Amino acid sequence: YDSGLFVPLNQVETFLKSTVFGIYGSNLLEGGFEEELRKLLSAILNMRSEMNHKMLHKDTPLSLITGCCPGVMEVGNRLAKELGILSCANIVDFRVKNNPVVNEQLSNSYVEAKMTYRLDKLVERQAEFNLDYPIFLAGGIGTDFEFCLEEVRRKVGATDATPIILFGENEYWTQKITSRFQCNLKTGTIKGSEWLSNCFYCIQHAEQGIKIYRDYFSG
């Protein structure tokens, strides 16, 4: 939307018109949710025939964006390509001269459309994910950063208050985010923005996510 991606010529219209889902998560593990993600994405594709939402209807193409690395991101790109969803990635070149600070993050081989960012453009890269519907799996510091950005986008109205799916056990996501919400509530620094907590849905199975999206897209 802002700077674009390198997209195969026969997919340009698909990209420009698509509703964008995205997978955030660790490059170190796959999360154990591949089959559930497959069911969820398949259901979203099928849901188009029954919805008349501006972001999801019978003529809506879908794109899926990840960070292109192995782990959770590779699972997302692989499933997208398997299901006929345009598979995209915002890639970071993590190389630093003589001083590697992160483990090697190779690109996965399931990406069809991409943009590569130099390391000093990391923040710009994050800003250009432009996801309509983010899906989070387990992740580390990078995923925490992405979570906060999606939270802020909704708080300031840069994007609609769309549902954000958190795949994983309740205990995991409680440890990740609940204390921060409670701290902000106690200190009064979230006053007027308490509604943000309603954007996050912790699920363990595709059926839960399907219900959330069906309720949302049907109004």
Side-chain angles (χ1 to χ4, degrees), residues 134-150:
I135 299 171
F136 282 85
L137 281 81
I141 293 171
T143 306
D144 297 340
F145 177 41
E146 291 155 348
F147 182 98
C148 289
L149 284 175
E150 293 294 348

Side-chain angles (χ1 to χ4, degrees), residues 128-142:
E128 291 168 3
F129 265 80
N130 291 307
L131 303 183
D132 298 309
Y133 302 100
I135 299 171
F136 282 85
L137 281 81
I141 293 171

Side-chain angles (χ1 to χ4, degrees), residues 36-79:
E36 298 302 318
L37 274 172
R38 179 182 286 104
K39 291 177 184 176
L40 180 60
L41 293 173
S42 297
I44 294 167
L45 286 168
N46 294 332
M47 209 180 291
R48 294 178 299 175
S49 63
E50 60 184 276
M51 295 298 169
N52 192 29
H53 190 278
K54 65 178 182 178
M55 300 298 288
L56 197 75
H57 51 78
K58 63 182 179 63
D59 297 318
T60 305
L62 301 183
S63 295
L64 185 136
I65 297 182
T66 76
C68 193
C69 295
V72 164
M73 291 166 275
E74 181 169 336
V75 171
N77 288 127
R78 183 168 66 242
L79 290 175

Side-chain angles (χ1 to χ4, degrees), residues 41-209:
L41 293 173
S42 297
I44 294 167
L45 286 168
N46 294 332
M47 209 180 291
R48 294 178 299 175
S49 63
E50 60 184 276
M51 295 298 169
N52 192 29
H53 190 278
K54 65 178 182 178
M55 300 298 288
L56 197 75
H57 51 78
K58 63 182 179 63
D59 297 318
T60 305
L62 301 183
S63 295
L64 185 136
I65 297 182
T66 76
C68 193
C69 295
V72 164
M73 291 166 275
E74 181 169 336
V75 171
N77 288 127
R78 183 168 66 242
L79 290 175
K81 198 166 183 182
E82 172 188 318
L83 295 170
I85 297 170
L86 181 60
S87 179
C88 311
N90 282 353
I91 306 169
V92 177
D93 181 353
F94 282 103
R95 292 173 296 179
V96 179
K97 286 185 179 179
N98 304 319
N99 185 31
V101 293
V102 296
N103 55 296
E104 186 63 40
Q105 300 200 37
L106 301 174
S107 298
N108 70 67
S109 59
Y110 301 98
V111 173
E112 300 169 285
K114 65 183 180 179
M115 178 62 76
T116 300
Y117 296 80
R118 300 303 180 204
L119 191 55
D120 64 338
K121 302 299 181 184
L122 179 63
V123 174
E124 287 90 336
R125 175 254 197 174
Q126 294 302 145
E128 291 168 3
F129 265 80
N130 291 307
L131 303 183
D132 298 309
Y133 302 100
I135 299 171
F136 282 85
L137 281 81
I141 293 171
T143 306
D144 297 340
F145 177 41
E146 291 155 348
F147 182 98
C148 289
L149 284 175
E150 293 294 348
E151 188 178 21
V152 169
R153 283 189 177 110
R154 282 152 183 78
K155 172 183 167 60
V156 301
T159 187
D160 292 336
T162 56
I164 297 176
I165 299 296
L166 311 176
F167 252 117
E169 297 303 320
N170 288 329
E171 182 181 3
Y172 174 81
W173 289 108
T174 297
Q175 291 178 355
K176 272 279 189 186
I177 65 177
T178 299
S179 61
R180 189 164 56 83
F181 272 106
Q182 290 178 341
C183 180
N184 289 337
L185 181 64
K186 183 177 180 180
T187 57
T189 52
I190 198 173
K191 187 175 181 180
S193 301
E194 295 92 342
W195 60 270
L196 278 172
S197 61
N198 294 331
C199 292
F200 300 99
Y201 297 85
C202 178
I203 69 172
Q204 295 79 47
H205 305 289
E207 289 75 14
Q208 297 164 302

